[in-house]
Amino acid sequence: MQVPDDRRYSTDHEWARLADGKVQVGITDYAQDALGDVVYVDLPAVGARVELGGVLGEVESTKSVSEIYAPVAGEVVAVNAALADSPELLNTDPYGAGWISEIVPTDVGALDALLDAAHYTALISE
Amino acid sequence: MAPSESAPTSTDARHGPAPIEEPETRHSPLEEAHRTLGAKLVPFGGWLMPLAYGTGTLAEHMACRTEAVAFDVSHLGTVRVQGQSSTDILQRALSNDLRKVAPGRAQYTQLLDDADGSVVDDIIVWWLDDDTFDVMPNASNTTRVRDAIGGDDTTASRAVIAVQGPEARLRLASVAPDAAAVARFRVTRFSWNGFDCVAAGTGYTGEDGVECAVPTEAAREFWQAVLDAGVTPAGLGARDTLRLEAGLPLHGHELGPGITPLQAGLGWVVGWEKAEFRGRDALERERASGPRRRLRGLVAEGRQPPRDGASVLAGTSSIGTVTSGNFSPVLSRGIAMAFLDTDHEVADGQELTIDVRGRHLAAHVVALPFIPVGKARAASGGAS
């Protein structure tokens, strides 16, 4: 399982990466592997305000439906429109082209409360 | 991320969450081969079976529609019924009429509840020769079926490998030519490496194919030979999306307690010419009054899969419930089977709404199956 060390992780298997004051959010390699083939992603609305741990969207695979939780509180400023027609990007490139949304966080320091790559690796190795 | 709903695929639907290593979990003779191939194994009907292999459900699905795949379906039960009275026993217990077929043929049939005519199990019968039948129930219903018909549970003595797809016979021919030559809904004995095996031209995908029952001792070698012939291994995930596209019912969803064959559109499985069979009186009453609901197909406007249990709305009134729903890899849309109340006139093509966890999906009604299968598929030029 890939766990890049340029970002932070939630215990619910979302990742969060800070760049230019925005937090890009997606699901981890471990999460996509557990889901199986993703066939539909329900994205949040641009402009929506989300709480920490609030529902950001839903990911549906051929076998299950899972909620995506916001790893930081803030305002959704962008969503990955490519997922509407190509939800498989979550499987093929979960840390890159399969990103889900961008959030301007209420508090940039909130990322510090998330797991670093080493701790997340330990979590999924349990 | 966390599951908000356990989706109603064939992998988890009927049996609830079960720890992977319950003491009574049964194991396929091919389990080690599946692990070597990187399969995800899941509990299903009391067995631990492959959900998908490395390439995933969608790739396995498309391999079955365009080339050939192999499923390990050893979890299906086999009850061997033998002896002079066996034909009479099956004729009285099961709904379909064996007089429509003959030795050397397979027949789809059902065990009905005598009180209300609902489907206790759906079954394939392989009629091997005059007085020998292999009756194949769903994994979790094997005991119930055996209680009704007697016979010997021979499930543990064999593996069943289903080779399915437009190229299935071609590729199987290099492994077991006699098995590959068995015609649709025919049954034949064949020998492989000195082992006595059985092949039937049956399946659960909407594609042409052959199911092979091979003694446990030979199972792993046979499976490997099939894969070496260019056949892709496929798991329960693909088996479920394939059968859904083909409009085939799954017990626990489109069939089960309270659901009769007439409601499910399977009147052809009822042997009305027979003097008696379990559930006949109840079915006659329903035939006279007309079923109160009927199974229909729904195609969503977008990709989102409708799911088991979702309400189907005409305007604002609920007229039915989804029994199985998923994403159709061939149509690239959500599809579902649903029971719709016959009180409401519903025509093919009619626009309806599916309530998926509070969100309304636009859908229209179609005749099943969702894609051409069997003869219609061959006539339209096949998969490619």
Side-chain angles (χ1 to χ4, degrees):
Chain A
M1 294 297 159
Q2 290 182 47
V3 183
D5 60 9
D6 63 348
R7 63 197 75 198
R8 293 282 183 147
Y9 298 87
S10 75
T11 54
D12 293 317
H13 311 289
E14 290 91 14
W15 56 260
R17 187 168 62 95
L18 184 66
D20 303 328
K22 292 182 287 189
V23 176
Q24 198 173 58
V25 174
I27 65 169
T28 66
D29 192 22
Y30 174 87
Q32 70 78 22
D33 184 67
L35 284 170
D37 289 336
V38 175
V39 295
Y40 180 78
V41 183
D42 180 50
L43 295 164
V46 171
R49 296 205 65 84
V50 290
E51 298 301 314
L52 172 64
V55 175
L56 194 59
E58 280 181 351
V59 181
E60 298 206 27
S61 71
T62 51
K63 62 171 176 158
S64 67
V65 184
S66 298
E67 290 182 331
I68 311 160
Y69 302 122
V72 293
E75 181 184 348
V76 176
V77 293
V79 296
N80 185 357
L83 297 180
D85 289 324
S86 301
E88 68 276 8
L89 290 170
L90 263 72
N91 295 114
T92 56
D93 193 6
Y95 295 117
W99 67 277
I100 290 169
S101 70
E102 287 179 343
I103 297 172
V104 171
T106 314
D107 168 15
V108 173
L111 260 75
D112 296 339
L114 299 172
L115 304 176
D116 63 17
H119 284 91
Y120 181 69
T121 302
L123 175 77
I124 60 175
S125 307
E126 273 172 15
Chain B
M1 189 206 80
S4 57
E5 176 178 313
S6 183
T9 68
S10 59
T11 57
D12 60 9
R14 291 177 281 167
H15 316 290
I20 280 181
E21 280 304 332
E22 278 183 340
E24 68 269 31
T25 297
R26 300 184 70 175
H27 298 270
S28 162
L30 299 173
E31 185 172 312
E32 275 315 301
H34 301 319
R35 289 188 191 279
T36 305
L37 289 163
K40 271 185 200 169
L41 299 171
V42 293
F44 179 69
W47 291 68
L48 192 63
M49 299 300 291
L51 175 68
Y53 299 83
T55 57
T57 294
L58 295 180
E60 293 167 16
H61 182 111
M62 293 313 293
C64 182
R65 292 277 178 248
T66 58
E67 296 179 352
V69 297
F71 299 95
D72 176 9
V73 290
S74 301
H75 60 285
L76 297 176
T78 298
V79 178
R80 179 157 288 191
V81 182
Q82 276 179 303
Q84 282 191 338
S85 59
S86 50
T87 310
D88 287 342
I89 290 168
L90 298 185
Q91 281 288 73
R92 279 198 301 272
L94 305 178
S95 65
N96 212 338
D97 191 342
L98 285 167
R99 293 173 300 181
K100 294 182 200 165
V101 293
R105 291 184 182 243
Q107 184 178 61
Y108 178 74
T109 187
Q110 296 177 336
L111 176 66
L112 304 181
D113 184 296
D114 204 31
D116 67 1
S118 69
V119 181
V120 175
D121 197 23
D122 64 331
I123 293 163
I124 289 275
V125 172
W126 292 357
W127 194 345
L128 284 162
D129 40 48
D130 289 352
D131 293 328
T132 308
F133 297 85
D134 276 349
V135 177
M136 303 180 67
N138 285 294
S140 54
N141 290 327
T142 304
T143 307
R144 238 166 293 180
V145 170
R146 195 164 158 265
D147 288 347
I149 61 173
D152 299 318
D153 184 347
T154 59
T155 306
S157 70
R158 89 300 179 259
V160 181
I161 295 164
V163 187
Q164 303 277 301
E167 303 281 316
R169 288 170 188 280
L170 192 68
R171 299 193 187 179
L172 183 61
S174 67
V175 178
D178 295 345
V182 71
R184 195 166 157 70
F185 275 87
R186 297 270 178 166
V187 181
T188 187
R189 294 180 193 269
F190 71 100
S191 179
W192 188 79
N193 275 7
F195 289 97
D196 293 330
C197 308
V198 179
T202 49
Y204 191 50
T205 60
E207 299 296 330
D208 190 18
V210 178
E211 294 180 304
C212 303
V214 178
T216 303
E217 314 88 87
R220 182 140 188 196
E221 245 186 301
F222 186 86
W223 169 259
Q224 191 57 50
V226 169
L227 299 193
D228 289 346
V231 177
T232 305
L236 291 170
R239 193 168 159 81
D240 194 48
T241 52
L242 287 160
R243 70 95 193 165
L244 178 61
E245 271 185 354
L248 297 170
L250 173 63
H251 194 270
H253 292 263
E254 289 73 37
L255 302 172
I259 305 171
T260 67
L262 303 184
Q263 295 168 11
L266 297 171
W268 62 271
V269 185
V270 182
W272 293 113
E273 304 297 314
K274 294 197 291 186
E276 62 166 300
F277 58 89
R278 275 175 56 132
R280 177 173 182 130
D281 293 348
L283 279 193
E284 272 185 4
R285 287 193 296 274
E286 187 179 41
R287 184 165 67 159
S289 62
R292 64 185 177 85
R293 57 184 180 177
R294 202 181 288 278
L295 194 67
R296 307 294 288 267
L298 299 171
V299 175
E301 298 304 309
R303 296 178 58 103
Q304 187 173 9
R307 300 286 187 182
D308 185 6
S311 284
V312 181
L313 310 173
T316 54
S317 49
S318 175
I319 63 163
T321 306
V322 169
T323 50
S324 289
N326 211 320
F327 174 74
S328 161
V330 169
L331 301 177
S332 288
R333 292 185 185 283
I335 57 171
M337 291 196 273
F339 278 113
L340 302 186
D341 299 342
T342 47
D343 295 349
H344 295 78
E345 288 278 326
V346 175
D348 286 347
Q350 186 171 330
E351 304 281 336
L352 295 172
T353 305
I354 306 172
D355 182 342
V356 180
R357 301 182 299 282
R359 203 173 312 135
H360 284 190
L361 296 189
H364 65 274
V365 180
V366 298
L368 296 170
F370 294 97
I371 60 164
V373 296
K375 282 181 184 165
R377 186 172 182 77
S380 69
S384 53

